[in-house]
Amino acid sequence: MPRATSALIRLAVPAKRVLLPIADGLGGMTRQARALPDFLICGAQRSGTTSLFKALNLHPAATGPVLRKGVHYFDTGHHNGLDWYRSHFPLRNGLRARWGRPRVRVFESSPYYLFHPLAAERIARELPETKVVVILRDPVERAYSAHAHETARGFETESFARAIELEDRRLRGAEERLVADPTHYSRSHQHHGYVARGNYVDQLIRMERHLGRERMHVVDYADLFDGTSRTVAEIIRFLELPSVSMEPPGRHNARKRAMMPESLRAELTSRFAENDARLAHWWGRTPSWCR
């Protein structure tokens, strides 16, 4: 049942590790009876995707994958096939409208979908009616947060300043290889794109080209965490979920870190200026970090 799925997602990490193989095995055996997502949270990384996922997962007509926030099918797991993807979601029978409850919509959140060069095309082809939500955060703060996140997870060993210096070398040719060979995987492209991931406008244009603007809803991080539920209500309307009273989203996965040196902040702000201007034109609004 969808609410049971929501409860499972909130299990402690050790319990999830025990239950995941069991859930995956059962999902594989019953994959043909399982649903595909109605909508996706596609990023950006370190921009509140976990907070939004948890908030929407509390909606009575929305539920995520079994024991997961994201499946990473349209980026790193695409070679596994659509049936594998389907196996991670609830059974269709449990999602039907019944006893006054509306049909439950299924979704997931995989922040790499926005940045991976093939994800938007794959989403458009395999989920032709699915809507996507994207959250954008000050790209300087996003980069600094991503570095702390990747360091804590063991994917980064360099200081932030050094990682920025190395980024062009680390990512050189990675996107071209990912496009040329759909089975290729780039560790640096997924984990070391601190500046590249903050160049939002080209990623959004690519997504628009494949999905169409009407299937995209772009959210400003500052609006999501303004202490109200206004932005979540707007997302619910875009997704055509029943209107319900929602609490403001809480902050999740925040990591303590030292203050960024002002000289480095100024340098990065300058580097993002042109892209931010293009973003404002595409979006039709000035991002909060540019006001």
Side-chain angles (χ1 to χ4, degrees), residues 166-208:
L166 290 172
E167 182 171 339
D168 285 347
R169 187 189 316 168
R170 284 170 157 180
L171 269 61
R172 187 173 299 132
E175 184 163 316
E176 291 79 5
R177 288 190 292 273
L178 286 165
V179 171
D181 178 6
T183 65
H184 178 70
Y185 171 71
S186 170
R187 184 175 186 271
S188 281
H189 190 270
Q190 183 173 10
H191 297 290
H192 299 146
Y194 306 113
V195 174
R197 281 198 187 219
N199 292 329
Y200 300 129
V201 65
D202 290 327
Q203 299 166 57
L204 291 166
I205 289 171
R206 176 174 61 206
M207 188 164 279
E208 180 184 23

Side-chain angles (χ1 to χ4, degrees), residues 4 7 14 24 41 72 79 105 120 147 166 188 190 211 235 237 271 286:
D24 287 350
I41 302 172
H72 284 283
H79 60 281
R105 309 292 182 87
H147 177 266
L166 290 172
S188 281
Q190 183 173 10
L211 274 71
I235 294 169
R237 283 195 294 273
R271 289 178 65 175
T286 302

